[in-house]
Every structure is written in structure tokens, then in C-alpha cells.
Amino acid sequence: MPLYPIGYSAQNDRKCAISGTGQYQLFSTDYVLHLSSDFGVTWSNMSPQLNQPYSPINGIERSASGQYIAISYFAEGVDDNGIMWSSDYGQTW
């Protein structure tokens, strides 16, 4: 199954993570985190829920089940650096 559904384009893709079954997929494009919970058929922009970074997302980790997610964001010389995590498939952070 393609990472980008037909008609979807992304720029500056950085990192991705996929659950063990492939049902839950994440990828970042600089400051935006995209989430799919249906094997990559549809995608949601998770950044408004994160209330996060002015720094690019440069790391994504996901548990095999897809339930636990961690992201890191960092930019040299910027104070807005850190790690965020979710334990409910990315619904809350």
C-alpha cells in the first residue's frame, strides 16, 4: 500500500513510523505530523492537537500495536525543543 494516497502530495517528508500490522502509520513533513489509522487510505493532520513545535519534527517512534507514539522536535538555536508522547493512538498528547 502506498505511503501517499492518490492525490496527496507532501513536501520535505522527514520521518515515518508504522505499527506491526501496518494499520497505524505516521509521517512528518517539517512541522506537521500526519496520522493514518486505516492502512494509509486516509490521513489526518495531527499538528493542531499537538500544540507544538516551531522546530521541525525529527524523530518518530511507535509501538508495535500503534498505541504508543513518541515524537521529538529540535532546531539548533531555538528554545522550542522537546519530546511529546501519546498513549492512546495519538488522540491526546
Side-chain angles (χ1 to χ4, degrees):
M1 190 151 257
L3 179 62
Y4 306 110
I6 295 172
Y8 190 92
S9 64
Q11 296 178 351
N12 302 323
D13 44 322
R14 301 261 182 196
K15 301 292 179 183
C16 67
I18 301 172
S19 66
T21 63
Q23 178 179 357
Y24 298 97
Q25 302 178 20
L26 287 163
F27 78 93
S28 68
T29 57
D30 283 337
Y31 309 94
V32 180
L33 183 66
H34 304 274
L35 169 71
S36 174
S37 60
D38 57 7
F39 299 92
V41 175
T42 60
W43 293 89
S44 299
N45 177 348
M46 301 304 291
S47 294
Q49 294 175 346
L50 296 174
N51 191 23
Q52 157 275 332
Y54 294 107
S55 301
I57 297 169
N58 56 13
I60 301 174
E61 296 292 334
R62 167 160 244 156
S63 65
S65 68
Q67 179 180 353
Y68 300 96
I69 304 166
I71 66 166
S72 61
Y73 48 100
F74 175 79
E76 190 172 332
V78 176
D79 292 332
D80 190 19
N81 301 311
I83 298 171
M84 298 184 75
W85 63 276
S86 173
S87 60
D88 58 5
Y89 299 91
Q91 297 305 305
T92 59
W93 295 85

